[in-house]
Amino acid sequence: MILNAWKRRYTVREFDWKHIPDREKIDYIGSIVKYVPLIEGKIDHIWFELGPDDADIKEWLVQNIFVRFSNNRGIKEHMLPILNAPFVFLAYSYDTGDPFRKNRITANTCFHAGALLSEGLRLGLDVSQIGCNQGISLKWNENAETDLNTCRQLFKDRFKDHDFNLDKLITPELAMCFGKGLPPKPGYQRYKDMLWNTSKKHGKKQSNMVR
């Protein structure tokens, strides 16, 4: 039963590059995006697939966008699973011309992320879901506007065969990382100049389902 896969699930901090997921599994997971529901049926975000050959883009995202600042400890943590996962599906918000759509974008992105996560688990893959993107905020990153322009250009250069106007990309929202997870390790590791949390992430203490 898939419930057992959910019980075994953990947020992967590091992936094993000796085990690359079958291409057909990744293709299948990507194919379900077309059928996931959207509020009002409007496409307000785009999913991009980043594979083993996209290490440069992944590293740039980890260095500049997908970071987390800890005020009480003075730590800047980089989300390295995006770099070391063989395959990543990245959600990027998309301008629909509606200035009040932000909450719907968040909800729609989460609908899709849940579907991708569930199917990944069903297929026996390990998954890391990452929404720590404080690099997009001027509150945390004084270069946020420049970085977002750079990011948009990186994706425009990488992805050309599609029907979207990538000038309308707004911000990277969420990354779903797939592969074979390695066991968590206590504390932090360092990759180049980036600090990376490899400890086990705590799960829920109780169910938040009421019946």
Side-chain angles (χ1 to χ4, degrees):
M1 294 178 63
I2 192 172
L3 180 60
N4 292 327
W6 280 98
K7 289 180 178 180
R8 291 193 300 270
R9 187 203 71 81
Y10 68 103
T11 298
V12 177
R13 301 290 200 178
E14 184 176 8
F15 288 89
D16 186 352
W17 271 81
K18 294 178 182 177
H19 299 276
I20 306 297
D22 293 339
R23 180 72 248 184
E24 63 184 60
K25 290 183 178 181
I26 299 302
D27 287 344
Y28 164 74
I29 294 172
S31 72
I32 72 171
V33 167
K34 180 179 179 180
Y35 307 102
V36 178
L38 284 164
I39 296 173
E40 298 177 349
K42 294 181 180 179
I43 293 177
D44 52 20
H45 71 286
I46 300 173
W47 288 90
F48 293 95
E49 179 190 312
L50 298 173
D53 295 331
D54 293 309
D56 288 347
I57 295 179
K58 292 178 183 177
E59 184 165 343
W60 189 92
L61 289 166
V62 169
Q63 178 77 59
N64 298 285
I65 301 295
F66 285 94
V67 297
R68 176 178 178 271
F69 295 87
S70 175
N71 279 336
N72 60 334
R73 290 181 293 171
I75 292 174
K76 181 181 180 181
E77 178 187 345
H78 297 262
M79 303 296 120
L80 260 294
I82 292 173
L83 174 58
N84 63 46
F87 291 98
V88 175
F89 289 103
L90 184 135
Y92 216 126
S93 53
Y94 188 74
D95 187 2
T96 64
D98 180 356
F100 303 106
R101 195 165 180 83
K102 176 59 181 173
N103 289 341
R104 294 187 182 92
I105 292 175
T106 300
N108 282 331
T109 302
C110 291
F111 288 163
H112 286 69
L116 297 176
L117 171 60
S118 183
E119 289 304 284
L121 294 177
R122 188 180 66 81
L123 293 174
L125 301 177
D126 293 321
V127 187
S128 183
Q129 59 290 328
I130 297 175
C132 298
N133 60 348
Q134 290 180 332
I136 70 174
S137 171
L138 283 170
K139 176 181 177 180
W140 301 102
N141 176 14
E142 63 182 11
N143 299 314
E145 187 173 346
T146 299
D147 286 345
L148 286 173
N149 287 334
T150 300
C151 191
R152 190 178 300 111
Q153 190 61 51
L154 286 171
F155 279 78
K156 287 172 65 176
D157 292 342
R158 167 63 177 83
F159 296 94
K160 297 182 182 298
D161 185 18
H162 54 78
D163 298 323
F164 297 99
N165 178 1
L166 298 193
D167 286 323
K168 293 185 176 183
L169 293 177
I170 306 173
T171 53
E173 301 288 341
L174 184 69
M176 302 296 296
C177 311
F178 297 89
K180 173 64 177 175
L182 292 171
K185 302 171 186 175
Y188 291 84
Q189 294 188 53
R190 188 170 292 278
Y191 174 80
K192 297 183 178 179
D193 61 341
M194 296 183 283
L195 202 63
W196 161 33
N197 188 346
T198 55
S199 59
K200 184 176 181 180
K201 186 174 182 179
H202 297 293
K204 295 179 181 178
K205 293 182 179 180
Q206 66 185 71
S207 173
N208 47 325
M209 167 60 75
V210 177
R211 289 174 166 164

